[in-house]
Amino acid sequence: MKKIFAIILVAIGFFVVAAAPKREIKVERPDMNQIRNEVTDPASKYYYPKLMDRYLANETVMQLPEYRRLYLGYVFQEDYNPYRHSEFYKRIEPLYYKDQHTRAELDTIIKYAELSLDDNPFDLRQLNFLIYALRKRGKVNRAAIWQYRMNHLLEAILSTGTGLDPENAWVVINPEHEYNIINFMGEKADAQQFVQPHYDYVRLKPGDPKSPAGYYFNIRNLLEEYYRKFPEE
């Protein structure tokens, strides 16, 4: 499938995201069976431990194919749990609601956001918060590396569909990413409903008349892996 989704998102402030210069993103429905085989095969260039090592090595040469396997392939890792919340998150949650932060508070944000991301590498909210704190502290190079990571993770999600109907739903590995994507696009979520057999539909609050009424997210693999690991739930 060859479609273009021309939105690149760049954080420019505290939980404020705007469109950067437009860049074409090829939309292609992921073959999750193929991705499973690639990320679990030690001989594959997409073998998951290799991808994660590259990601953590602050590489800025990884591109969309690698980021798609890194993000989507996480569901096939043994430590994957879409509903896990880091204990470090609680340490800085009160700071989310402040308009201004002291230098000490910014250092606290950086410390615990990084610890939280060590536990859950695809916590997009923590990523955004970390970038904000690093920039405020003048650590522009570190902020740029994390910004590169977040942009490409967002691209990986947006490249999986258009979100406009179930057939082209965006594939996510964490329910929170549904709201992250909508917020990062400058929209506001109004309500969520489950649509059989494995979709979430998030309705938007009225705003831009050109915007759709809502977006669809594919959570099939998220549910399958969760119930495989936690059958008692």
Side-chain angles (χ1 to χ4, degrees):
M1 184 191 309
K2 293 185 178 179
K3 294 185 179 180
I4 299 301
F5 198 92
I7 294 179
I8 296 296
L9 303 169
V10 177
I12 58 174
F14 178 43
F15 294 127
V16 178
V17 180
K22 288 188 175 182
R23 167 177 160 185
E24 294 182 348
I25 301 176
K26 178 183 177 182
V27 173
E28 182 178 3
R29 188 183 306 166
D31 182 335
M32 295 302 290
N33 288 328
Q34 177 183 344
I35 290 175
R36 182 201 297 268
N37 292 335
E38 290 173 335
V39 300
T40 57
D41 179 3
S44 169
K45 65 179 180 180
Y46 297 123
Y47 183 47
Y48 205 82
K50 295 178 184 177
L51 282 179
M52 184 56 73
D53 284 346
R54 291 181 61 189
Y55 177 76
L56 297 176
N58 296 337
E59 281 197 21
T60 54
V61 294
M62 288 177 64
Q63 297 299 319
L64 185 55
E66 288 91 351
Y67 269 90
R68 277 170 61 97
R69 273 82 174 178
L70 182 75
Y71 177 79
L72 298 170
Y74 190 48
V75 300
F76 306 120
Q77 307 309 301
E78 283 306 311
D79 66 338
Y80 170 71
N81 179 351
Y83 300 104
R84 181 178 62 200
H85 291 282
S86 172
E87 288 299 312
F88 299 114
Y89 170 86
K90 298 176 182 178
R91 305 286 185 93
I92 56 176
E93 184 178 14
L95 298 178
Y96 283 147
Y97 308 103
K98 298 187 64 173
D99 293 329
Q100 300 293 330
H101 299 92
T102 66
R103 180 175 297 185
E105 287 172 337
L106 291 170
D107 289 340
T108 298
I109 291 169
I110 292 169
K111 174 183 176 180
Y112 287 107
E114 288 185 331
L115 288 170
S116 183
L117 287 165
D118 285 342
D119 183 54
N120 180 5
F122 304 124
D123 186 330
L124 299 182
R125 191 181 189 195
Q126 291 288 345
L127 256 175
N128 198 38
F129 206 34
L130 175 60
I131 293 165
Y132 156 80
L134 288 171
R135 285 182 174 166
K136 286 290 188 180
R137 288 291 280 119
K139 302 178 186 296
V140 293
N141 290 334
R142 285 176 63 192
I145 290 171
W146 285 104
Q147 183 69 70
Y148 182 91
R149 290 170 170 170
M150 186 168 76
N151 281 357
H152 282 76
L153 290 171
L154 293 171
E155 286 182 22
I157 298 172
L158 295 174
S159 73
T160 62
T162 63
L164 298 179
D165 54 62
E167 185 72 12
N168 296 289
W170 284 316
V171 181
V172 292
I173 65 171
N174 187 311
E176 291 183 359
H177 294 171
E178 300 171 6
Y179 293 91
N180 295 147
I181 287 292
I182 288 172
N183 291 337
F184 290 150
M185 293 177 66
E187 306 281 5
K188 294 183 178 180
D190 185 32
Q192 180 201 62
Q193 68 182 83
F194 180 73
V195 178
Q196 292 289 351
H198 46 249
Y199 302 100
D200 278 340
Y201 177 72
V202 180
R203 188 172 68 244
L204 303 180
K205 291 183 177 180
D208 188 342
K210 296 181 181 179
S211 295
Y215 291 109
Y216 289 88
F217 296 87
N218 186 325
I219 58 172
R220 174 180 176 177
N221 293 94
L222 180 162
L223 294 175
E224 287 180 349
E225 289 300 311
Y226 182 75
Y227 288 122
R228 180 181 70 85
K229 292 179 178 177
F230 306 98
E232 70 281 0
E233 297 292 333

